[in-house]
Amino acid sequence: MRNPRGEGRRLRQEILDAAGRLLEEGGQPESVSLRAIAREAGVTSAAVYKQFKDKSELMWVLLDDVYETLAEKMRAARLAAPADDPWAGLNAAMDAYCQYALDTPRRYELLFHTGPALPPPERPGRHPMSRLLRAWRQAVAPCVDEEGDRVGPLTADRVAKLLWTGIHGQFGLWRNAPEAIDEKELRALRDSLLFALFGRC
């Protein structure tokens, strides 16, 4: 029998949600089995295999969804800022990124803990992190020198990567060394990073 319209898509999402919960609870990709994911989703293993070729594909789809969710939050925040104020757009995008990491720290960590433990994606060059990097570039580009496409000696692409890695490093300290950095200092460090790159915050 064919699934009612939308039933397959709903089942697929339920399986992804179940995998996400197991990983957020501290499981590692290599220790979370398809059988465990099926049990968490309340379906059979066969139902999982109808939606995903193997566990690696399921995990990459899950990561792609997390990357896209975060990238979309950044884009929406940037577009909600005044159109004639690119600096406000950049700050709004950064705020959205930081808020996601604060509100859902375990899901945020999936981006950087789960991906490296998986076999490379089947399609080289299509790593889902490119979605998030694009959101950073879109936020940075309007704030750089239009003629040279630079901030001082740095290209817009390099600035986007520096912002992303800098913010991620700050959250790494906050999560792993809370005695060294708290939420209040996170904001101060975020502003310091902007000042170091742009001369304002």
Side-chain angles (χ1 to χ4, degrees):
M1 294 179 61
R2 297 182 62 183
N3 286 329
R5 184 181 296 245
E7 187 69 24
R9 182 179 299 176
R10 184 163 55 250
L11 174 60
R12 185 180 177 89
Q13 189 58 53
E14 288 172 356
I15 293 169
L16 289 170
D17 291 343
R21 287 194 298 272
L22 290 175
L23 289 170
E24 289 174 35
E25 289 168 3
Q28 297 299 317
E30 60 273 16
S31 63
V32 176
S33 67
L34 282 178
R35 187 182 298 275
I37 293 170
R39 186 166 53 248
E40 177 70 17
V43 299
T44 64
S45 297
V48 176
Y49 278 111
K50 285 183 179 180
Q51 299 295 326
F52 302 96
K53 181 177 68 176
D54 53 28
K55 188 174 75 172
S56 179
E57 182 189 38
L58 189 159
M59 293 293 180
W60 277 117
V61 172
L62 173 64
L63 284 182
D64 187 75
D65 184 61
V66 178
Y67 273 111
E68 178 58 26
T69 296
L70 182 47
E72 183 54 39
K73 286 181 180 295
M74 291 179 67
R75 283 193 292 267
R78 175 176 56 85
L79 294 174
D84 60 349
D85 190 348
W87 186 250
L90 172 58
N91 274 272
M94 290 183 68
D95 284 344
Y97 182 95
C98 294
Q99 199 60 51
Y100 183 89
L102 286 169
D103 291 344
T104 58
R106 290 193 177 277
R107 181 150 290 249
Y108 174 78
E109 288 175 353
L110 293 183
L111 301 176
F112 305 98
H113 288 181
T114 300
L118 296 174
E122 289 188 355
R123 293 180 295 174
R126 296 295 299 273
H127 194 289
M129 74 165 53
S130 62
R131 297 172 179 266
L132 196 50
L133 181 55
R134 189 180 308 116
W136 279 105
R137 287 172 177 153
Q138 290 170 339
V140 166
C143 297
V144 304
D145 175 52
E146 293 183 1
E147 293 184 3
D149 192 31
R150 292 175 176 271
V151 175
L154 302 174
T155 64
D157 180 72
R158 185 61 55 84
V159 173
K161 291 174 180 175
L162 285 171
L163 277 177
W164 184 10
T165 55
I167 291 292
H168 175 61
Q170 292 168 13
F171 276 104
L173 283 174
W174 171 66
R175 287 288 293 167
N176 298 303
E179 69 281 358
I181 180 172
D182 58 21
E183 287 190 28
K184 182 178 180 181
E185 191 173 4
L186 272 177
R187 178 71 190 198
L189 286 172
R190 167 200 177 284
D191 290 344
S192 297
L193 182 60
L194 280 174
F195 187 80
L197 289 170
F198 291 94
R200 58 173 174 161
C201 58

